[in-house]
Amino acid sequence: MKGTIRTAYAHDQNAAAAVRAAQADLGDEPADLIVAFVGGKHAPEAALAALRAAFPGITLAGGAAAGAISAHGFGYGGFEIGLIAFAGADVTPAVVATRDLLSGEFAAGETLGEAVRARTEDGQAVLLLFDSVASTAPLKLHPASQIMAGFQSGLAARELHIVGGGLLTDINLSDGWLLDGGEVCKHAAAALIFPPGIAAETVIFHGCRPASSFLDITKIEGAEVLELNGEPALTVVERMLGLTLGTTSGQQLSLVATLGQKQGDPYAPFDENAYVNRLILQANPERGSLTLFEPDFEVGARVQIMSRDNILMLESVTRGVDDLRSRMAAKTTLLGLYIDCAGRASVMTGAETEEAELVVETLAPKFPFMGFYSGVEIAPFAGGTSRPLDWTGVLTVLQAAR
Amino acid sequence: MNVPATPSFEQLQRELEFYRREYDDMGARLVRLQEEQSRAAREARRSKIVARLVRDAYQIVHQDIFASKIGGLILAMVADTALCDKAAFLKRDPVDTERFVVEHALGGMTGETLELPAPPAFLFTASGKPAEPAAAPLTALIGVPYILFAHDESSGRGVLLGKKFEGNIHRPYEARDAEIVEVVLAVYIDLLLRKSAEATMRQARQAAEEASNTRARFLANLSHELRSPLNTIIGFSGLMLEGRARAPTPEQRDEFARQIQDAGRSLLALANDILDFSSLGHARLQLRREWVPLAPLLHAVARALTQDIAARNVWVDVLPVQAELQAHIDYDRFRQILTNILGNAVKFTPPGGRIELGACLEGRSGIRLSVRDNGIGIREEDLARALEPFVQLKSESHDHPRGAGLGLPIAKQLVEAHDGELQLASVFGMGTEVTILLPEGSGKLG
């Protein structure tokens, strides 16, 4: 296999200085594609100008990130720059993109899926990146579940290893943007299709455990859960927890709890990998409802209130890395990619240990490694197709296929 | 052996309900415990932020950066550590003391100044707290609703942090956050003082080095300036002593005596210059200012140098000066200034060259005096040094008389003692113009 993948991380309040520092770290070897994860305090146009100046004529991908994670440092203050440089046809992903999320996430995802299907064979790895924020006033997200549903529809029977993340400028969902065609784009999604000679292994880190018995969704409109067990959803959750979920000033996530849906046998022993969690975007006291990050639950779905569990979150990292390492044996690893829910940062969870640091320490990568803090994570779930996930860390290693 | 009876459906339902209730209760406790832990960790974070800020900020002490860069670096640390959206250092306007100027900003402010007649030592805004009146101009300046502000009266500096939201990582600000902004401000002021002290020390060191160089130049120059006339005196007086094989003729004796006298005068002039320059550097000069007509002064200076002018074979023109033009100056000192400048021009203008002296009103009541020659001029790179003491610039020609290099520096100091400015302009090979500018109020007509 010919080609190289290199990564670099820098931190500077000046975007040009940060890019130059990262560029110096990458070295002089030419690149065919630069994927950039840009901290949200950097003005997008300034970051793009800096990237263009540093890498003239080279295709740029990536976009905003609530923070970046590398083997040599990490941060979520907003001044980070994380770069992945691909050189050589054997390792460089092809990029296809859509800028039509605002017209309809499913349709845009489907178009993108069709384009990817036309350029792939079964088994290839794809990194899907998209702008998470549709509007800020009122706050509205581009639902990953609809993008993915469309994308899977466009792929038809094509079986790919899809991982991805929603791009955010910060954890407050202030904004999001994507680099496509040498421009800063809103409402866009991009699929980075890795060449057939690259195989991917992925592990998902969790961190929530059920904190209630099963509750039936009896009324839901899109992502807004109106009723649980026939009662206003907010009333049920607040009564059960003995907590107020927040008066919500529009931008404030209710991070006290999530709603989780157990997959498979509902009465099987607890397995963190069996749960799909949905963050609560807003609690709406006047409607007695809860708005979730994704609109993919339906009437009749059985959910549980889930609690964050910092110990479980860190244990999940250790277990997951061990699992991944056992699958990585005897293969040449080209890149480690970590897509980390911004909510897992210690500033949110209050965990003594930074989860991202633990990932790096446990993995101890002797290969290029880069991660970013995301809004939503996408990964193959429970041995099946890829799904959007909340409050997870998705660690993927790209390796030379046997 | 007693076999437990199979529970009835009703019993099972009750048991299930019991377990469900207990499970829900345990779950709720778990959530609350987790939330409690997170809240405690966020509280502890304040102390961590303060500690990290102090640690990171003091790294700057060891960096070779200007004081003017410190503010920007600290704000970046604050934004990165305290996770605010915007931040600024403010400084009280020295003229309009009710106004503050944005000294450094991160994240963009809506303006560069703000009116803040009575800045509080600390204030914060939060959605759950009525805003203080002083908060309005601050939130308007920073452009976000939630702020932390601290002000240090003695230094006249303030720090302003702001955020757009109160959710997620940005919990609402509270009174205890005073610790953060007060530390930020204290560290900033302390680092400014340190860097300022460092700069002062650096300047003092440079001045000491310069003084040492000057002393070395002075000694080298002085030894030459002393040795030449002393050699003349010793040599010619030796020739005049009785008992020599060939007694000098009366004509020779006259010539030798003249040479000895010239050398003695030269030594006296050198001693006067050195004493003058030394006294100017150590004590404030007492000027006896009076209204002096300038035309007669210029002519008197030119006349006083008639002998040198004739010896160098140069032309000196005193340009027409309005007869009633007067300057409020110390006559003797200004005569010394013009003598030094004209003497220099004579010295560095080749035979046949021309020198012009002029004076006029500058503005309404300022004075401009100039001495312009078409002599050898000064190289651009030497211009700044020409006003330094004991500096003798390199010359292509060796026929120019040497001196202690104190004429222009003395003139400059005397001009500055008159609150004026001495400017030097020159084109190498073309000539030099020395201009004296005296401030408004120094000149009048009649």
Side-chain angles (χ1 to χ4, degrees):
Chain A
M1 175 168 285
K2 289 179 182 171
T4 58
I5 302 176
R6 290 161 293 148
T7 56
Y9 168 85
H11 175 277
D12 197 297
Q13 62 172 310
N14 179 295
V19 169
R20 279 197 300 273
Q23 181 193 22
D25 218 16
L26 286 177
D28 295 332
E29 196 178 329
D32 297 313
L33 171 70
I34 297 287
V35 178
F37 299 106
V38 180
K41 281 202 175 76
H42 290 305
E45 294 299 340
L48 175 62
L51 287 164
R52 276 182 174 158
F55 306 102
I58 298 174
T59 305
L60 299 173
I69 304 159
S70 80
H72 308 292
F74 78 101
Y76 40 76
F79 295 122
E80 304 77 21
I81 293 277
L83 299 181
I84 311 176
F86 296 90
D90 288 352
V91 299
T92 304
V95 183
V96 290
T98 173
R99 301 183 184 187
D100 294 333
L101 292 184
L102 203 55
S103 311
E105 287 87 357
F106 182 92
E110 190 169 44
T111 306
L112 194 62
E114 286 166 358
V116 170
R117 184 184 63 197
R119 304 181 68 153
T120 53
E121 296 168 6
D122 283 352
Q124 278 183 248
V126 171
L127 172 62
L128 188 65
L129 302 172
F130 64 95
D131 170 15
S132 269
V133 180
S135 75
T136 50
L139 177 62
K140 188 173 176 297
L141 303 180
H142 285 303
S145 54
Q146 292 183 358
I147 296 170
M148 276 306 291
F151 193 68
Q152 298 286 13
S153 169
L155 288 178
R158 177 76 70 242
E159 291 183 0
L160 301 173
H161 188 108
I162 305 163
V163 293
L167 301 182
L168 292 173
T169 54
D170 57 53
I171 205 163
N172 287 318
L173 310 175
S174 299
D175 206 352
W177 50 270
L178 190 98
L179 288 170
D180 173 47
E183 294 177 354
V184 172
C185 302
K186 280 294 297 172
H187 315 300
L192 279 67
I193 307 163
F194 288 92
I198 290 179
E201 290 285 357
T202 294
V203 65
I204 303 168
F205 307 138
H206 299 270
C208 292
R209 69 168 63 246
S212 79
S213 49
F214 291 106
L215 300 163
D216 291 327
I217 294 178
T218 47
K219 192 172 180 186
I220 187 167
E221 291 175 5
E224 188 179 7
V225 183
L226 292 157
E227 288 182 6
L228 291 168
N229 289 350
E231 283 188 85
L234 182 59
T235 307
V236 172
V237 172
E238 288 190 338
R239 186 181 64 223
M240 289 184 79
L241 297 182
L243 287 172
T244 303
L245 287 191
T247 51
T248 73
S249 53
Q251 218 75 10
Q252 181 175 353
L253 311 184
S254 179
L255 295 165
V256 174
T258 66
L259 289 187
Q261 187 182 39
K262 192 174 185 181
Q263 313 294 302
D265 179 3
Y267 307 117
F270 171 68
D271 175 5
E272 61 182 6
N273 294 302
Y275 280 88
V276 171
N277 272 297
R278 290 293 168 246
L279 287 169
I280 297 171
L281 182 63
Q282 289 167 352
N284 316 306
E286 63 282 3
R287 284 169 66 84
S289 65
L290 301 166
T291 303
L292 305 180
F293 252 49
E294 299 291 337
D296 55 349
F297 287 165
E298 294 171 348
V299 169
R302 299 196 86 192
V303 296
Q304 288 171 279
I305 299 169
M306 307 289 286
S307 168
R308 286 195 327 268
D309 184 331
N310 290 344
I311 295 171
L312 176 68
M313 176 178 74
L314 301 176
E315 287 174 350
S316 181
V317 167
T318 315
R319 267 196 307 272
V321 170
D322 285 346
D323 174 30
L324 185 68
R325 198 179 275 123
S326 69
R327 285 187 266 150
M328 286 165 60
K331 289 182 181 176
T332 304
T333 303
L334 302 167
L335 175 69
L337 180 67
Y338 189 44
I339 304 162
D340 198 10
C341 174
R344 294 166 74 88
S346 74
V347 69
M348 294 284 283
T349 63
E352 281 293 314
T353 304
E354 274 290 0
E355 179 259 6
E357 271 186 322
L358 183 66
V359 171
V360 173
E361 278 175 23
T362 315
L363 184 65
K366 292 184 171 55
F367 42 81
F369 176 88
M370 182 51 60
F372 67 97
Y373 284 103
S374 62
V376 177
E377 305 76 55
I378 295 166
F381 187 81
T385 55
S386 292
R387 297 188 58 161
L389 306 164
D390 287 346
W391 209 284
T392 59
V394 170
L395 178 60
T396 295
V397 289
L398 300 177
Q399 300 183 295
R402 282 179 193 278
Chain B
M1 186 174 163
N2 290 329
V3 177
T6 305
S8 67
F9 179 73
E10 187 184 347
Q11 278 178 315
L12 283 173
Q13 267 202 320
R14 284 191 64 210
E15 190 172 341
L16 177 63
E17 193 51 43
F18 167 76
Y19 285 127
R20 182 182 286 150
R21 204 170 47 241
E22 289 299 309
Y23 184 75
D24 286 348
D25 189 48
M26 293 284 281
R29 283 170 185 272
L30 172 67
V31 171
R32 288 199 296 269
L33 277 172
Q34 192 68 50
E35 196 55 21
E36 195 58 39
Q37 185 191 355
S38 296
R39 193 175 298 122
R42 284 196 290 267
E43 286 301 314
R45 188 175 167 77
R46 183 187 294 116
S47 302
K48 286 184 185 172
I49 287 171
V50 168
R52 193 177 146 193
L53 269 174
V54 171
R55 185 195 68 200
D56 291 354
Y58 277 100
Q59 301 285 331
I60 295 174
V61 171
H62 307 297
Q63 294 175 18
D64 188 20
I65 58 164
F66 292 111
S68 59
K69 299 280 182 195
I70 290 173
L73 287 173
I74 292 183
L75 289 184
M77 287 176 198
V78 171
D80 202 32
T81 313
L83 299 163
C84 58
D85 295 314
K86 295 183 171 190
F89 281 120
L90 310 176
K91 186 182 176 186
R92 191 188 296 121
D93 188 323
V95 179
D96 180 357
T97 54
E98 295 195 343
R99 181 171 287 276
F100 278 74
V101 179
V102 176
E103 203 176 15
H104 298 280
L106 190 147
M109 302 290 122
T110 58
E112 292 176 356
T113 64
L114 84 159
E115 290 284 344
L116 205 58
F122 168 74
L123 73 75
F124 73 99
T125 60
S127 57
K129 170 183 173 286
E132 297 171 38
L138 291 164
T139 52
L141 175 75
I142 201 167
V144 292
Y146 307 115
I147 60 165
L148 283 175
F149 173 75
H151 171 247
D152 175 60
E153 182 64 35
S154 60
S155 68
R157 283 194 156 86
V159 63
L160 179 62
L161 309 186
K163 61 188 177 187
K164 294 180 239 176
F165 311 117
E166 285 188 324
N168 310 327
I169 54 174
H170 289 166
R171 57 172 176 71
Y173 286 140
E174 55 191 16
R176 282 180 290 182
D177 290 327
E179 191 183 355
I180 294 176
V181 275
E182 284 168 3
V183 163
V184 168
L185 191 56
V187 166
Y188 176 52
I189 293 167
D190 185 38
L191 286 179
L192 277 183
L193 289 174
R194 281 179 185 229
K195 285 290 172 187
S196 171
E198 274 178 25
T200 306
M201 280 176 62
R202 197 161 42 237
Q203 281 170 357
R205 192 168 61 241
Q206 282 171 351
E209 285 170 2
E210 181 56 33
S212 171
N213 292 338
T214 302
R215 198 178 305 118
R217 280 202 307 272
F218 168 73
L219 289 173
N221 205 24
L222 192 62
S223 62
H224 176 85
E225 294 302 317
L226 287 170
R227 196 178 289 125
S228 299
L230 284 172
N231 281 338
T232 302
I233 292 167
I234 292 166
F236 283 109
S237 58
L239 292 173
M240 292 167 73
L241 283 175
E242 290 182 3
R244 294 185 60 87
R246 283 184 59 193
T249 63
E251 292 77 20
Q252 282 176 319
R253 191 173 284 274
D254 284 353
E255 172 59 19
F256 295 166
R258 196 180 58 76
Q259 292 281 357
I260 290 168
Q261 191 178 48
D262 279 355
R265 282 192 177 137
S266 175
L267 281 174
L268 180 63
L270 179 62
N272 283 339
D273 274 358
I274 290 168
L275 289 173
D276 244 0
F277 186 76
S278 177
S279 68
L280 286 173
H282 289 92
R284 179 149 180 84
L285 191 65
Q286 294 295 317
L287 297 177
R288 288 191 303 275
R289 294 196 203 219
E290 57 187 323
W291 286 104
V292 176
L294 285 178
L297 173 62
L298 297 188
H299 285 287
V301 169
R303 264 197 314 276
L305 290 169
T306 303
Q307 206 174 343
D308 293 339
I309 292 166
R312 292 288 297 166
N313 193 23
V314 294
W315 288 96
V316 173
D317 286 343
V318 177
L319 300 175
V321 177
Q322 285 176 284
E324 59 274 36
L325 180 61
Q326 297 186 42
H328 194 239
I329 54 177
D330 181 314
Y331 179 86
D332 291 333
R333 289 305 191 178
F334 234 82
R335 184 171 169 145
Q336 185 182 359
I337 292 167
L338 292 171
T339 304
N340 283 2
I341 295 170
L342 182 59
N344 240 37
V346 170
K347 217 182 287 182
F348 295 104
T349 301
R354 192 172 206 89
I355 301 165
E356 292 174 348
L357 274 82
C360 62
L361 264 184
E362 176 79 358
R364 287 178 57 221
S365 60
I367 290 286
R368 170 185 284 265
L369 288 143
S370 64
V371 179
R372 185 163 56 197
D373 66 59
N374 60 357
I376 60 171
I378 303 168
R379 286 189 173 85
E380 194 178 344
E381 62 268 27
D382 290 334
L383 265 177
R385 291 181 57 233
L387 292 171
E388 292 175 18
F390 308 114
V391 170
Q392 287 182 332
L393 304 176
K394 283 181 191 168
S395 167
E396 310 266 308
S397 163
H398 294 288
D399 78 332
H400 303 294
R402 288 175 61 89
L406 287 172
L408 279 180
I410 288 173
K412 180 172 181 284
Q413 290 206 19
L414 288 172
V415 168
E416 285 169 358
H418 281 83
D419 303 317
E421 188 185 350
L422 186 146
Q423 296 175 346
L424 190 60
S426 186
V427 178
F428 185 64
M430 301 288 285
T432 300
E433 180 170 12
V434 180
T435 305
I436 296 166
L437 295 169
L438 296 181
E440 291 286 320
S442 301
K444 68 175 183 181
L445 290 170

